[in-house]
Amino acid sequence: MQKSLHIDPNKCTGCLQCEMACSWENYRSFTTAKSRIKVFSFHEAGRFVPYTCTQCDEAWCMTACPVDAIKLDPVTGAKIVLDPTCVGCKVCTIACPFGTINYVAQSGKVQKCDLCDGAPACAKACPTAAITYVDADWTGLEKMRQWAGKTDTNPATV
Amino acid sequence: MRHLIIGSGPAGVVAAETLRKADPVADITLLCGEPEPPYSRMAIPYLLKGDIAEAGTHLRKDADHYATQRIQVVHGRARSVDTTGRTVDLGGGQRLPYDRLLIATGSRPSRESIPGIDLPGVRSCWTLEDARAILALAQAKPGIRIVQMGAGFVGCIIMEGLLSRGVDLTILVRSGYMVRRMMNPTASGLLQQWCQAKGVKIFTRTQPAGLSAADGVLQVALADGRVLPADIYLSAVGVDPNLDFLAGSGINLGQGIVVDEHLQSSVPGVYAAGDVAESRDCLTGKRQLNAIQPNAVEQGRIAALNMAGRPTAFKGSFVFNVLTTLGLVSSSFGEWEGQPGGDSAEVLDAARYRYLNLQFQGDRLIGANSVGFTDHVGALRGLIEGRVRLGRWKQRLMEDPTQIMQVYVAGVHSVA
């Protein structure tokens, strides 16, 4: 059974341990700006929402890449950016309707969540189990994926 | 079943791969119009810069990829299509038969109609061969003078590569502003200031009256009487779909090949995908060409499924693009010019070359322009294509357009 990140915003306290862990895992520095998972704050509602790539089946980023620099990891299901192949054209960053693959000016490449080879650092670091790494069927992934569907039926969110 | 695909750009290659997955026993032939392995024009700017070697432009990196997939690659140019006999003529007596045909011949640079346009030294920057020729000249003669006509998407994206080779670059812009097909005047003005600050000479509202040659140097005569000497005249005034070979084929042509929702042309069994396909814009409902990479691969995939006998509707697409001009990143989505009666919101920091403009219709986002913003820009596609009703979050964006990802996430998680 493939696993995926399950995010429960109700449990998130906004501590940013996930962002710290992600940047440490990938850059060996505690720089939340470099994190591939982002915690969005909604102060008026008193809510925090961690958000990152859902490794969607459509893989808009992977199919749009003009140089074959994004590959499917058959074990984890993650779509992985191959840095030496990426030319930094950013087509994937506009093709992904979730906004979860982004350009990094320092490297001249794009970055996205790669599930840390099956041991996501963000989930390990989360002290409240707002981010867990669980069997894919449990995550309500489909719900998140369908949200960016192309119908006219999306209700207003409020 | 014999599938023939004319054109080996992203649409053609994805179609061939999709056909193989959908039909393990079909004959699949991919016709390449250039004497190269299938490659990506999107990668040429990075070849010019020296970031990658030629192999880095190839659409698939494994040399055996097409053989492994049992996709027969044939090099040649389609001269004509006989839709009655179901053959494609390559000239020299060579004909390729087909049961299903996909036309994915892409675009070619538009040709300027000015005297001297056939002189040596006049070229485009569109193919690998063009890039090789420009690089060879720039290396042989440091500081060569390039006069470039046009500052659209291609004209802008190649500037960094050209300057990195030490060329002396002058850009002529026919209209009042750069990238006018994808940027509003404010965004375009930022790009122009940026380029001028980097040493590029830009003449707006300028176009050549004609070209001549004197002692091996091109003379670019401007309409106002000035003459600019040039080692290369780089013509980058836009692109047109490659349709000439379809004359007399009986295939219904508008701006491009008119296709139905299954990407089939007016002739049964003949499909089109990518830059040449005239299909439905999912925002406006109008028929249009959409010459962008994500549309090419999606249409290639869907056309192939239909060719393989799996009816699949194309849901329509809209135009969005991302452009890097000498390191300055800009993007354009949908109806960035806005709609009458619709609201708009923008934030501008000209000193830091940062700009974001959002266009709304009711409480939906319909278009955007950005300069200097790269984080989470894909969410703009998601919100526009999903026709997401923003409700009270629209007001948040009216007050601060940079909150776009915040608003997107709020929608995903129904944050009240």
Side-chain angles (χ1 to χ4, degrees):
Chain A
M1 170 74 72
Q2 246 172 23
K3 290 182 157 190
S4 62
L5 285 175
H6 178 225
I7 292 174
D8 181 354
N10 293 316
K11 293 181 178 170
C12 179
T13 63
C15 73
L16 304 189
Q17 289 291 318
C18 55
E19 293 193 9
M20 303 273 266
C22 181
S23 85
W24 178 257
E25 175 76 21
N26 292 297
Y27 296 100
R28 285 291 176 263
S29 92
F30 293 114
T31 314
T32 55
K34 291 180 172 178
S35 175
R36 299 165 184 184
I37 186 166
K38 292 282 174 191
V39 178
F40 291 86
S41 308
F42 298 88
H43 294 299
E44 299 132 52
R47 293 192 70 185
F48 300 94
V49 181
Y51 195 72
T52 190
C53 172
T54 64
Q55 315 297 342
C56 70
D57 289 338
E58 294 86 353
W60 304 97
C61 61
M62 188 168 80
T63 55
C65 177
V67 293
D68 219 12
I70 303 178
K71 287 292 189 190
L72 173 69
D73 180 329
V75 178
T76 62
K79 281 74 184 178
I80 292 174
V81 178
L82 307 177
D83 276 356
T85 309
C86 174
V87 295
C89 77
K90 309 166 201 73
V91 168
C92 56
T93 70
I94 55 167
C96 168
F98 306 98
T100 49
I101 182 163
N102 285 296
Y103 180 63
V104 182
Q106 293 94 325
S107 64
K109 316 272 181 188
V110 296
Q111 70 164 2
K112 69 181 289 298
C113 171
D114 58 6
L115 295 176
C116 300
D117 283 335
C122 55
K124 272 187 283 184
C126 181
T128 61
I131 305 166
T132 48
Y133 190 55
V134 297
D135 289 348
D137 277 2
W138 298 0
T139 64
L141 256 188
E142 286 311 310
K143 201 175 127 195
M144 276 173 72
R145 287 171 182 166
Q146 281 167 11
W147 184 84
K150 290 174 251 359
T151 66
D152 197 16
T153 55
N154 290 305
T157 54
V158 288
Chain B
M1 184 69 80
R2 291 168 303 183
H3 294 289
L4 174 58
I5 298 164
I6 312 178
S8 58
V13 166
V14 167
E17 292 165 351
T18 306
L19 277 168
R20 175 52 70 222
K21 270 189 219 159
D23 187 346
V25 298
D27 282 339
I28 302 168
T29 301
L30 184 65
L31 183 61
C32 306
E34 292 172 42
E36 325 276 359
Y39 72 93
S40 170
R41 303 203 196 289
M42 283 293 302
I44 286 178
Y46 307 93
L47 176 67
L48 287 176
K49 257 170 81 182
D51 286 355
I52 53 171
E54 280 193 12
T57 69
H58 295 167
L59 281 166
R60 300 295 177 256
K61 302 297 188 259
D62 175 3
D64 296 331
H65 175 75
Y66 301 97
T68 308
Q69 298 257 315
R70 287 173 290 121
I71 295 165
Q72 192 193 352
V73 175
V74 174
H75 289 274
R77 285 251 166 192
R79 303 289 178 86
S80 64
V81 175
D82 174 357
T83 52
T84 310
R86 298 203 165 201
T87 59
V88 171
D89 184 8
L90 304 187
Q94 201 184 351
R95 281 174 179 278
L96 295 175
Y98 68 83
D99 298 307
R100 299 273 185 280
L101 177 66
L102 177 65
I103 301 167
T105 44
S107 299
R108 59 151 186 263
S110 305
R111 190 180 148 83
E112 291 177 71
S113 50
I114 54 167
I117 200 71
D118 291 318
L119 284 170
V122 177
R123 57 170 54 253
S124 302
C125 186
W126 185 245
T127 63
L128 271 182
E129 187 50 40
D130 288 336
R132 284 180 200 126
I134 291 166
L135 286 175
L137 275 169
Q139 277 156 10
K141 194 177 164 193
I144 55 164
R145 293 156 296 184
I146 296 183
V147 173
Q148 177 182 311
M149 180 64 210
F153 181 86
V154 172
C156 282
I157 206 166
I158 62 176
M159 278 185 211
E160 188 167 4
L162 296 176
L163 283 196
S164 76
R165 301 293 174 164
V167 312
D168 176 41
L169 189 59
T170 303
I171 312 265
L172 312 181
V173 185
R174 184 176 309 161
S175 73
Y177 64 92
M178 299 165 65
V179 268
R180 59 195 289 268
R181 291 280 198 86
M182 61 182 272
M183 295 287 163
N184 70 22
T186 306
S188 171
L190 287 177
L191 259 61
Q192 186 173 333
Q193 282 169 33
W194 175 268
C195 291
Q196 286 168 331
K198 301 252 176 188
V200 180
K201 295 178 282 291
I202 298 176
F203 300 142
T204 55
R205 299 186 196 286
T206 302
Q207 58 181 312
L211 310 172
S212 57
D215 301 328
V217 177
L218 284 167
Q219 307 293 319
V220 182
L222 304 182
D224 64 8
R226 280 179 294 175
V227 176
L228 305 176
D231 301 293
I232 298 176
Y233 177 84
L234 202 54
S235 181
V237 295
V239 296
D240 296 310
N242 277 312
L243 299 168
D244 292 351
F245 70 104
L246 296 174
S249 67
I251 295 168
N252 185 16
L253 304 177
Q255 291 175 281
I257 299 164
V258 177
V259 291
D260 63 17
E261 67 167 358
H262 295 104
L263 302 180
Q264 186 167 231
S265 75
S266 61
V267 174
V270 178
Y271 295 76
D275 292 11
V276 291
E278 183 180 323
S279 62
R280 198 177 64 83
D281 183 294
C282 66
L283 299 183
T284 64
K286 292 176 187 159
R287 309 197 67 84
Q288 64 157 11
L289 300 178
N290 187 359
I292 63 169
Q293 169 95 13
N295 183 57
V297 293
E298 180 65 0
Q299 290 192 335
R301 185 180 74 82
I302 292 196
L305 290 174
N306 286 301
M307 291 166 76
R310 298 187 188 176
T312 308
F314 178 63
K315 294 190 176 85
S317 62
F318 74 102
V319 182
F320 51 90
N321 222 331
V322 61
L323 168 65
T324 308
T325 310
L326 296 173
L328 184 62
V329 184
S330 56
S331 67
S332 170
F333 291 84
E335 297 183 78
W336 53 268
E337 290 172 291
Q339 283 284 328
D343 290 321
S344 67
E346 68 175 30
V347 58
L348 171 65
D349 182 349
R352 295 173 60 212
Y353 295 98
R354 285 170 69 81
Y355 177 64
L356 183 61
N357 177 287
L358 304 179
Q359 296 289 338
F360 302 91
Q361 194 170 45
D363 69 346
R364 291 184 170 107
L365 188 70
I366 56 167
N369 265 163
S370 80
V371 178
F373 283 94
T374 57
D375 281 353
H376 311 300
V377 283
L380 292 166
R381 178 192 180 182
L383 289 171
I384 294 169
E385 193 164 328
R387 298 180 58 78
V388 174
R389 298 198 57 188
L390 297 167
R392 75 177 179 88
W393 293 104
K394 178 189 167 187
Q395 189 54 37
R396 173 78 67 94
L397 292 177
M398 291 294 290
E399 289 160 12
D400 182 0
T402 68
Q403 295 291 301
I404 194 81
M405 190 63 186
Q406 192 90 357
V407 167
Y408 179 89
V409 170
V412 175
H413 290 281
S414 302
V415 175

